[in-house]
Amino acid sequence: MGDLSQQFIDLGLTGYEARAYLALLARDRYTAAQLARESGVPRQRIYDVLAALTERGLVRVLPGGTTRYTAVEPASAVERLMAARRAEIDRLEQATARLVESLAPVWSRGRQESDPLDYVEVLRGREVLAERIGEIQADARQEILAVAKLPYLIDDNTAGAGTIRRLTRSGGRVRCVYERAALDDPALLADIRRYTAAGEEARVAAHLPMRMWIVDGVRVVMSLRDPVAGSDSTTNIVIEHASLAQCLTYAFETIWTGADPVT
């Protein structure tokens, strides 16, 4: 019986309606109380269930002094349920078509709109900055230019050694200008030696204006110090703009020319 009940439920009946109809099939007629006992439908629900089955055309009320119910022949009952389900699917298809028709113009307009600052990304927090810098460096194909101003916000202020080797081996170039004070820190000096051994070109300058990375002449990452709060407060920005990258590359070349080779 369980499988049959589930099949009727799949056709749109409730569990109680399926149990009541299947119980009616086993006998010519039932009173409501008898059907409740045979089907296991709670007596307080049986009248609602019978009313719903009658409205669907699956049950008929027999004439007489005592109200009795009989099931409609299964082929007719199933056909009525199928017809109702097909009508429901037709309504859903029509509603879906109207929805798509309504949303299509909105989607088309959305493709034509762009945020005037969608090429600017603000990075908040050191972990986010380190993760984003790593992604940008991993995407680098030709060149990374770095200005490593102290204090460092992330461990790798230039490209990581793996990225440096990958770029230099493929004909690319990685250059970084460090502040001279970094050479006084044994740990930082060891990092610089490791990067230069991997192929980075490094120079030092007495002072640097800001932290900056320029990648492939298109992407720029800048750490801007808050002029009021001081060095402990910075705003980190990623800007994907070739013209800005070109302008800042000129600035980098000026700094690079005035810096000294790492010895």
Side-chain angles (χ1 to χ4, degrees):
M1 261 325 203
D3 291 342
L4 292 175
S5 293
Q6 185 57 53
Q7 292 180 52
F8 275 104
I9 291 171
D10 292 341
L11 288 173
L13 295 186
T14 66
Y16 284 162
E17 290 169 356
R19 286 160 61 180
Y21 178 75
L22 288 170
L24 278 170
L25 289 177
R27 186 171 172 176
D28 182 54
R29 63 193 67 192
Y30 273 120
T31 64
Q34 291 170 335
L35 182 60
R37 287 194 301 271
E38 291 296 325
S39 64
V41 176
R43 189 162 184 170
Q44 66 269 26
R45 295 292 312 279
I46 194 64
Y47 289 102
D48 292 339
V49 169
L50 284 167
L53 289 171
T54 301
E55 184 178 356
R56 288 174 177 269
L58 275 65
V59 167
R60 290 188 294 108
V61 180
L62 298 175
T66 301
T67 303
R68 289 181 171 83
Y69 302 86
T70 187
V72 171
E73 189 266 331
S76 298
V78 170
E79 179 55 36
R80 288 173 183 174
L81 290 175
M82 285 296 298
R85 182 52 62 92
R86 283 192 289 268
E88 181 182 348
I89 292 173
D90 287 342
R91 288 193 297 272
L92 182 59
E93 288 180 344
Q94 293 172 14
T96 301
R98 290 194 297 270
L99 178 62
V100 171
E101 185 178 356
S102 299
L103 294 179
V106 179
W107 184 86
S108 296
R109 288 195 298 270
R111 304 288 72 73
Q112 298 169 5
E113 295 293 333
S114 61
D115 188 331
L117 293 178
D118 61 2
Y119 53 85
V120 178
E121 177 184 359
V122 179
L123 307 176
R124 305 187 186 281
R126 293 191 179 191
E127 291 184 2
V128 175
L129 175 63
E131 181 178 354
R132 193 71 179 94
I133 288 292
E135 292 173 352
I136 292 172
Q137 291 176 352
D139 289 341
R141 293 294 175 265
Q142 297 175 339
E143 181 181 60
I144 296 176
L145 308 177
V147 177
K149 179 178 177 58
L150 295 170
Y152 297 156
L153 295 180
I154 60 176
D155 292 338
D156 282 329
N157 279 274
T158 180
T163 297
I164 294 170
R165 282 191 290 270
R166 175 178 60 81
L167 282 176
T168 55
R169 287 172 181 172
S170 63
R173 193 177 185 189
V174 178
R175 290 186 286 164
C176 183
V177 182
Y178 298 90
E179 281 195 314
R180 191 174 302 278
L183 302 182
D184 298 329
D185 186 319
L188 295 180
L189 180 58
D191 285 341
I192 295 172
R193 298 297 188 199
R194 179 160 53 91
Y195 299 146
T196 55
E200 176 185 270
E201 301 172 48
R203 293 188 178 184
V204 292
H207 299 286
L208 296 173
M210 62 187 295
R211 282 179 288 269
M212 179 175 67
W213 297 262
I214 305 171
V215 179
D216 290 340
V218 175
R219 285 178 172 174
V220 177
V221 183
M222 295 185 292
S223 291
L224 305 176
R225 185 174 63 182
D226 188 318
V228 177
S231 60
D232 291 338
S233 179
T234 60
T235 299
N236 305 299
I237 304 174
V238 178
I239 304 176
E240 191 157 346
H241 196 291
S243 296
L244 176 65
Q246 182 180 18
C247 181
L248 291 175
T249 297
Y250 292 146
F252 175 86
E253 295 294 354
T254 298
I255 296 171
W256 179 263
T257 300
D260 300 320
V262 174
T263 57

